[in-house]
Amino acid sequence: MGIRTGQDYINGIKSRNPEVWLNGRLVEDIYNEPIFNQPIHEIAKLYDLQHDPIYQNDITHICEQTSERVNNAFLSPKTGDDLQKRSKLFEVYARKTYGLMGRTPDFLNVVVTSMAHNCWFLDKYNKDWSKNIQNYYKHIRDNDLFLTHAIVNPQNDRSKSSHEQKDPFTHLGTVEETKDGIIVRGAKMLATLAPITDEVIIYSFPGFVPGDERHALAFALPIDAPGLRIICREPVQDGKRSMFDHPLSSRYDEMDALLIFNDVLVPWNKVFLYNNVEAANLLYPMTGIAEQPAHQSGVRGYIKLAFAVEVACKVADSIGVDAYLNVQRDLGEVVQSVEVIRALLRVAEYEYTINEHGEARPNPDALETIRGFLPEMYPRAIEVIQTIGAGGLLMSPTGADFDHPDLREDVEKYYGGRSGVSAEERVRLFKLAWDLCGEAFGMRLLQYERYYTGDPVRKRAIFYNKYKKAKKFSMVDEVLAKPTNEGLETINQ
Ligand SMILES: Cc1cc2nc3c(=O)[nH]c(=O)nc-3n(C[C@H](O)[C@H](O)[C@H](O)COP(=O)(O)OP(=O)(O)OC[C@H]3O[C@@H](n4cnc5c(N)ncnc54)[C@H](O)[C@@H]3O)c2cc1C
Ligand SMILES: O=C(O)Cc1ccc(O)c(O)c1
């Protein structure tokens, strides 16, 4: 089949009936649920881009194995050029969603592509696991599927390992093996966009200890697999919010959900790893599923930061405060933060390496440095919007006030910006800014940037420890090894 259209994706959503709970009710019709409908259409637009002559060559390619056109997320990068093709895709998808949707289909399709390319790793443990991931890659590539993932154990008692939790099946684990597959029970977090995806893939960040064997798992399932329950967080919009008043949250809210597996059967051919703590802990560092999607996250994060910074600059300009030195300093700082991320992305893409399995991997230090700084730079950009917009962010009337004939004159008079900025322009801009820096929607976006790839504190510590091992700080040793009487020798001659 190859590339789908937006309508194909929507037809897929309509054909399934996952168990999705939202605000204490079971959602009967995912497509027509107001909270999901607009985000579904935003994802559908990405699928349509694959058929748009302006974008097609940038985001898709002809598959060598099937001769069908497929998305670039399914390209196993073997050269720097391939990484550029990937980067183009990430940027096109991110620009279409302003970087506000983190888990667009490219993210997990890259994860599966990388896992399948590095099936040598699974092969060492079990030939079936390796065959299964390769077949799964073909399945999602040829059907152009959209996946969610849940790779973190639910946050219950973090001081205890999985097998030490109060109930042995709080964290997802295997209950039993049958001739058809494994039966799994327990929960996993935090599956972004789960209700509107086709399938789910489960794997884990490293951290299992001996005794956790039943929790050491990786597999995939259709999102409507019997027994899979999806409980959504409270929505940040009701699906009926006016696009005038909430231009961003009415469109780009990606729902997050806890997945609960109530004795779900995973067929043997969808099991990628099972009952092996060592393999589960090494899967993430060994199969490129950290670096390859981090390339997507880096490009997406760059666009999101650039978008927030543009909002800050526009807000300042619209009310004439960017004439002040303090405001220029703050704007200069956040513009520079965008340039830092842009530069790091170039390092990541051009200083790539080709590993012994023929896979081109972007420079991990540059990607991890983006990972370290974005959780500081993005909140700072949001803070700059808050401080420059100040009370004006809370002064905006609603679209309904604009429409009311009795208010029109006042609205036009009192809500305008600097000369040349009409009331409607200023208010629409400030509403967009408030969606980003004040609404629950914006706070979720901020929390996403901090945590989407794990705890930034521990990630930085891991980075430091690796760096220490690799660099050994030899310049300091070199200078200290110089003879202490060097200068004296020549003076004394
Ligand atoms: C909006 C959003 C969307 C997300 N989407 C997804 C998704 O689609 N799929 C997915 O799988 N995950 C997703 N994540 C989950 C993400 O992977 C986790 O939030 C992240 O790994 C951090 O784990 P945690 O939230 O359980 O925090 P915890 O690990 O519980 O940490 C809580 C706090 O305690 C500290 N802490 C905890 N344990 C330790 C320790 N051992 N040593 C030192 N300090 C510790 C941390 O520093 C932190 O301050 C998403 C998260 C967010 C916020
Ligand atoms: O995007 C990143 O920085 C890395 C990352 C995050 C979450 C994942 O599940 C994953 O496989 C890789």
Side-chain angles (χ1 to χ4, degrees):
M1 176 181 162
I3 50 173
R4 289 196 292 179
T5 62
Q7 191 56 50
D8 293 332
Y9 158 65
I10 288 172
N11 292 345
I13 296 282
K14 287 181 174 169
S15 71
R16 275 187 302 277
N17 196 15
E19 186 190 332
V20 176
W21 289 85
L22 183 69
N23 272 335
R25 67 187 163 85
L26 187 60
V27 179
E28 278 172 14
D29 178 348
I30 298 287
Y31 177 73
N32 285 308
E33 167 59 49
I35 284 164
F36 300 142
N37 187 264
Q38 194 55 37
I40 287 174
H41 282 276
E42 298 304 331
I43 297 290
K45 287 178 198 168
L46 302 182
Y47 278 101
D48 279 336
L49 291 181
Q50 304 187 111
H51 298 267
D52 182 335
I54 295 174
Y55 295 100
Q56 188 170 75
N57 282 333
D58 281 344
I59 66 174
T60 67
H61 66 283
I62 303 296
C63 174
E64 281 175 11
Q65 288 174 3
T66 63
S67 304
E68 281 182 326
R69 188 170 282 283
V70 299
N71 189 278
N72 281 355
F74 299 116
L75 183 70
S76 274
K78 299 188 188 72
T79 62
D81 223 38
D82 289 344
L83 286 176
Q84 290 296 326
K85 286 183 186 150
R86 281 271 190 89
S87 184
K88 271 259 167 51
L89 163 73
F90 301 151
E91 185 159 346
V92 166
Y93 277 17
R95 284 198 185 278
K96 285 291 161 190
T97 47
Y98 307 97
L100 306 179
M101 293 182 112
R103 295 287 156 85
T104 45
D106 48 336
F107 184 86
L108 281 155
N109 293 344
V110 162
V111 168
V112 175
T113 302
S114 192
M115 244 190 236
H117 192 121
N118 291 288
C119 58
W120 59 268
F121 169 76
L122 292 172
D123 207 56
K124 280 199 318 191
Y125 292 94
N126 185 319
K127 302 249 177 277
D128 284 342
W129 298 349
S130 163
K131 189 177 75 200
N132 293 346
I133 191 67
Q134 292 177 70
N135 287 336
Y136 188 66
Y137 160 71
K138 288 179 193 150
H139 166 66
I140 63 164
R141 178 193 66 194
D142 299 343
N143 293 291
D144 201 11
L145 296 182
F146 178 20
L147 272 52
T148 188
H149 77 326
I151 63 171
V152 180
N153 291 312
Q155 195 188 49
N156 305 111
D157 185 347
R158 287 280 185 254
S159 70
K160 293 191 163 63
S161 61
S162 290
H163 75 280
E164 291 169 339
Q165 299 292 316
K166 218 180 325 167
D167 179 309
F169 291 103
T170 307
H171 293 181
L172 179 72
T174 309
V175 184
E176 61 170 311
E177 281 184 26
T178 70
K179 67 172 188 5
D180 297 323
I182 53 174
I183 309 289
V184 295
R185 185 186 300 166
K188 212 84 179 164
M189 72 189 251
L190 183 65
T192 295
L193 283 168
I196 66 170
T197 54
D198 302 304
E199 304 222 348
V200 55
I201 183 164
I202 300 292
Y203 52 96
S204 290
F205 280 144
F208 290 117
V209 296
D212 285 342
E213 283 72 15
R214 70 161 57 132
H215 306 281
L217 280 170
F219 62 83
L221 283 172
I223 200 69
D224 60 348
L228 172 55
R229 170 173 281 185
I230 300 168
I231 305 185
C232 299
R233 64 160 160 77
E234 186 177 0
V236 298
Q237 47 104 11
D238 60 7
K240 297 181 196 118
R241 283 184 136 183
S242 121
M243 286 187 173
F244 181 98
D245 290 326
H246 297 284
L248 301 178
S249 60
S250 61
R251 293 184 171 97
Y252 303 111
D253 182 28
E254 35 175 26
M255 178 53 76
D256 308 292
L258 182 75
L259 302 185
I260 300 175
F261 294 78
N262 288 316
D263 290 6
V264 177
L265 170 71
V266 183
W268 284 117
N269 67 355
K270 292 290 172 64
V271 174
F272 311 134
L273 193 156
Y274 163 57
N275 196 24
N276 190 316
V277 164
E278 182 190 279
N281 285 341
L282 288 175
L283 184 77
Y284 188 74
M286 296 304 285
T287 58
I289 61 172
E291 288 108 320
Q292 298 291 12
H295 186 194
Q296 188 268 9
S297 310
V299 175
R300 195 240 356 116
Y302 158 61
I303 302 294
K304 180 169 167 182
L305 180 67
F307 178 65
V309 168
E310 269 192 31
V311 173
C313 295
K314 282 271 201 188
V315 164
D317 172 68
S318 73
I319 52 172
V321 297
D322 67 351
Y324 298 114
L325 184 66
N326 52 318
V327 174
Q328 290 170 3
R329 198 222 75 89
D330 284 354
L331 293 176
E333 176 197 333
V334 291
V335 168
Q336 283 177 350
S337 71
V338 176
E339 287 302 302
V340 169
I341 300 298
R342 194 170 70 81
L344 281 165
L345 274 175
R346 293 301 164 259
V347 173
E349 288 169 2
Y350 288 102
E351 295 187 10
Y352 62 88
T353 49
I354 311 249
N355 68 14
E356 70 266 40
H357 306 283
E359 184 192 18
R361 288 205 187 160
N363 180 301
D365 285 352
L367 290 181
E368 207 45 41
T369 305
I370 294 177
R371 181 62 195 108
F373 278 103
L374 262 182
E376 293 166 13
M377 289 170 169
Y378 184 76
R380 174 69 183 135
I382 296 303
E383 183 186 45
V384 168
I385 300 175
Q386 289 166 341
T387 49
I388 292 177
L393 290 163
L394 286 311
M395 183 180 107
S396 305
T398 65
D401 296 315
F402 270 86
D403 291 341
H404 202 289
D406 292 358
L407 294 177
R408 190 81 210 182
E409 207 176 305
D410 277 354
V411 166
E412 293 293 356
K413 179 171 169 190
Y414 295 112
Y415 290 94
R418 62 152 172 79
S419 161
V421 179
S422 72
E424 184 169 332
E425 280 171 300
R426 184 189 159 284
V427 167
R428 291 188 64 193
L429 175 63
F430 271 63
K431 281 178 168 293
L432 181 144
W434 186 244
D435 255 0
L436 211 54
C437 78
E439 284 279 326
F441 169 77
M443 295 305 100
R444 186 258 172 208
L445 286 176
L446 200 148
Q447 195 72 343
Y448 182 88
E449 233 39 66
R450 286 205 178 106
Y451 290 109
Y452 71 85
T453 174
D455 172 18
V457 177
R458 279 171 283 162
K459 293 221 50 145
R460 265 223 169 121
I462 291 167
F463 179 79
Y464 168 72
N465 288 318
K466 259 198 194 154
Y467 200 83
K468 180 177 172 182
K469 235 191 212 158
K471 306 283 171 186
K472 299 196 169 64
F473 310 129
S474 56
M475 282 197 294
V476 178
D477 293 337
E478 186 187 300
V479 76
L480 287 176
K482 287 183 191 291
T484 49
N485 58 353
E486 245 180 342
L488 293 176
E489 274 171 9
T490 37
I491 289 169
N492 293 338
Q493 273 166 13

